[in-house]
Amino acid sequence: MKKYESYKDSGVGWIGKIPSHWSCVPFRRIAKVQCNLVRPSENLTMFQISPDSIEKNSGKIIKTRTVEEAKVDSDNHRFYKGQILYSKIRPLLNKVTIAPYDGLCSADMYPISTIENTKYVMYYMLSEAFLSSVKNIVADRVKMPKINQDELKNTDFVIPPFSEQQVIVDYLKDKTLKIEQYVSARERERELLDSLKQSEIANVVTKGLNPNVRMKDSGIPWIGMIPEHWEVKRLRHFIKFVSVKGHGEKPLLSVTREQGVIERNVESKEENHNFIPDDLSGYKLVRKGQFVINKMKSWQGSYGVSDYEGIVSPAYYVCDLTFPCKKFFSMAIRSKAYIPFFTQYSKGIRVDQWDLSPIGLKSIPFIVPPIEEQQAIVDYIEAKLSKIDCCMADLQAEIDYLKEFKQRLISDVVTGQICVAKPQEGEQQ
């Protein structure tokens, strides 16, 4: 890659040398946080953007809500089209974007105006150089790290002459778009493989492995026919609610839609963790082989059989599981054939307030093959579908590499390690 002719020390260890005609200045020299509060009584029809609206490390807005949906309060701030919006909570997720319209943002966002090229400043905020500055600030903050205005104002920024900034923006826009298109194609491939795998799992746990077996109506519209010799029972036959507390020293577990029960990474400041109290004695003990359900998100698939011993939120259900082949139960219950049951038995005024009652959980039907067929289905899924898992893992590794390469490219360009802009006549090089 082409380099600039001469460099100087930036004065910041993690930035290193920068082109000799560039500057390294604190954020307050080039930008200003503008938190304009809004009154709840105002008649507003704008959209609201929150940290959840922005994809991490990409600068993209992935969802918005109307002001009515967001229930605007006095802590919300106005922002204006063209301003930078930056999430002050969990800053290592690097959620930053440029406002595409006027609107409101939650109190967890900073609306920012700059005297420099706005798109260049956003690219810099997406770079490893900026992220390293933020890491240095929040390094010792374990729970829900935040960056305040004074800390942000003192963050180091590398600034090229204004005449070069647009050239850098155009270069990065072109290169990152190509990377993003390639990533999107790989993500679609991975999603298709995952869909194929999930469809096959749902099929074999409800239809079996023998295509010639005699069938009967299950009585469940979305499942249809099942092998004639299989039974349909309710979960109450296999689960018993338990609540053992007082084991706050055990590792924390999470229940996720994608992976079921997993060990919780409490050290990672980049993950979107809920608040963790200092006293965990009220959390519920989970033993290996128990069935754990996030009752507020079970309709999304947030439940599973635990492979770990640990503790979970007291709001979760923990159940002893008496089922001949727990692997079959785990594969079946987490398949897309069963998620509609959890949706059907969850109740609430709004989707984000749906709750699964103990009676609702016990009422969910479960299709039970003979024990020998349960094991045969487990063996089939583990052996035959492992090839799909390998392909998905290869695709994910490629996706992760491309995302890292994109961030590294941005960082190298905005700190001058790669020369993409020729200095204008009269500027020092």
Side-chain angles (χ1 to χ4, degrees):
M1 288 290 187
K2 184 180 177 183
K3 292 277 192 178
Y4 289 89
E5 288 186 3
S6 62
Y7 287 81
K8 66 182 179 183
D9 188 359
S10 66
V12 181
W14 50 83
I15 295 176
K17 294 184 178 298
I18 61 174
S20 57
H21 63 294
W22 290 22
S23 303
C24 186
V25 299
F27 178 78
R28 65 178 180 273
R29 292 268 301 277
I30 57 115
K32 182 179 180 181
V33 176
Q34 296 180 314
C35 296
N36 302 304
L37 295 178
V38 62
R39 296 188 300 275
S41 60
E42 291 185 71
N43 183 20
L44 299 166
T45 58
M46 292 184 262
F47 289 93
Q48 193 235 36
I49 293 178
S50 67
D52 289 339
S53 307
I54 304 171
E55 186 177 58
K56 67 178 183 179
N57 290 323
S58 77
K60 293 181 179 179
I61 295 175
I62 53 178
K63 62 180 178 180
T64 59
R65 297 184 295 176
T66 64
V67 167
E68 291 79 8
E69 292 170 331
K71 294 186 175 180
V72 172
D73 56 36
S74 58
D75 289 333
N76 277 251
H77 306 306
R78 286 184 181 275
F79 63 78
Y80 299 96
K81 182 178 179 179
Q83 284 188 308
I84 293 170
L85 300 176
Y86 177 66
S87 175
K88 68 181 180 182
I89 63 168
R90 295 181 291 273
L92 298 188
L93 293 180
N94 228 16
K95 294 194 171 188
V96 57
T97 192
I98 295 177
Y101 39 67
D102 294 352
L104 300 179
C105 61
S106 72
D108 294 325
M109 306 288 298
Y110 287 138
I112 298 167
S113 296
T114 178
I115 61 173
E116 303 293 340
N117 185 305
T118 303
K119 291 182 179 179
Y120 171 82
V121 174
M122 186 196 72
Y123 274 125
Y124 190 86
M125 295 178 80
L126 287 171
S127 73
E128 277 290 344
F130 176 74
L131 198 57
S132 294
S133 296
V134 174
K135 286 178 182 177
N136 188 57
I137 293 169
V138 301
D140 58 347
R141 301 173 192 173
V142 176
K143 294 180 181 178
M144 196 66 75
K146 296 183 181 181
I147 184 168
N148 64 43
Q149 284 196 47
D150 288 336
E151 291 167 335
L152 182 59
K153 289 175 183 177
N154 290 318
T155 304
D156 298 295
F157 268 67
V158 174
I159 302 296
F162 197 84
S163 58
E164 294 183 39
Q165 292 178 25
Q166 187 59 48
V167 180
I168 290 172
V169 167
D170 291 341
Y171 175 86
L172 287 175
K173 182 180 178 181
D174 175 65
K175 297 300 182 183
T176 58
L177 178 60
K178 290 176 180 176
I179 295 171
E180 288 164 4
Q181 289 173 337
Y182 200 82
V183 167
S184 293
R186 292 295 175 266
E187 286 177 335
R188 285 194 296 272
E189 288 181 44
R190 191 187 184 287
E191 288 168 4
L192 286 171
L193 284 174
D194 187 53
S195 179
L196 174 64
K197 176 185 174 182
Q198 296 307 321
S199 295
E200 181 64 3
I201 292 173
N203 182 64
V204 297
V205 298
T206 58
K207 310 293 184 190
L209 300 173
N210 182 0
N212 301 315
V213 70
R214 293 184 63 178
M215 308 291 278
K216 66 180 180 183
D217 188 358
S218 67
I220 303 163
W222 62 84
I223 289 181
M225 307 297 283
I226 62 173
E228 189 178 54
H229 61 293
W230 289 20
E231 296 181 273
V232 180
K233 295 187 175 182
R234 303 282 173 176
L235 286 188
R236 65 170 58 94
H237 289 93
F238 312 114
I239 63 172
K240 178 183 177 182
F241 289 89
V242 294
S243 182
V244 179
K245 300 180 180 179
H247 292 270
E249 78 287 352
K250 297 284 186 179
L252 276 169
L253 305 177
S254 287
V255 185
T256 68
R257 176 177 56 188
E258 295 80 10
Q259 298 172 279
V261 184
I262 61 171
E263 292 183 306
R264 191 167 176 175
N265 184 1
V266 296
E267 298 300 323
S268 173
K269 303 181 187 68
E270 298 186 21
E271 298 299 325
N272 183 6
H273 292 320
N274 293 325
F275 175 74
I276 302 172
D278 292 325
D279 182 8
L280 298 174
S281 60
Y283 273 46
K284 292 181 180 179
L285 177 67
V286 175
R287 300 192 186 280
K288 292 181 181 180
Q290 288 184 319
F291 186 39
V292 188
I293 307 98
N294 180 339
K295 63 177 182 175
M296 297 292 289
K297 294 184 178 180
S298 62
W299 60 275
Q300 296 178 328
S302 294
Y303 52 79
V305 178
S306 181
D307 289 327
Y308 309 97
E309 182 168 307
I311 53 176
V312 294
S313 165
Y316 290 4
Y317 293 142
V318 179
C319 303
D320 282 337
L321 178 63
T322 55
F323 194 85
C325 181
K326 290 186 178 181
K327 274 195 174 181
F328 173 84
F329 180 90
S330 179
M331 290 175 174
I333 202 74
R334 284 192 45 76
S335 75
K336 65 181 185 180
Y338 282 89
I339 291 177
F341 289 119
F342 288 85
T343 302
Q344 179 182 350
Y345 286 94
S346 294
K347 307 295 180 183
I349 298 174
R350 294 184 353 204
V351 171
D352 59 357
Q353 294 178 342
W354 278 2
D355 192 12
L356 178 66
S357 69
I359 293 175
L361 178 61
K362 288 181 177 181
S363 300
I364 291 174
F366 192 79
I367 300 164
V368 186
I371 180 62
E372 62 275 11
E373 289 189 56
Q374 293 176 30
Q375 188 58 54
I377 290 170
V378 168
D379 293 341
Y380 170 83
I381 291 173
E382 289 184 336
K384 300 295 183 181
L385 300 186
S386 63
K387 294 179 181 179
I388 296 179
D389 286 335
C390 289
C391 291
M392 288 172 60
D394 289 343
L395 284 169
Q396 189 59 52
E398 188 174 0
I399 291 166
D400 292 342
Y401 170 78
L402 287 168
K403 288 181 176 179
E404 290 173 8
F405 175 76
K406 173 189 166 184
Q407 196 171 21
R408 183 71 257 170
L409 176 66
I410 291 172
S411 191
D412 284 346
V413 171
V414 299
T415 58
Q417 308 313 303
I418 298 174
C419 176
V420 301
K422 184 179 180 180
Q424 297 295 309
E425 187 175 348
E427 290 177 354
Q428 182 183 357
Q429 164 124 263

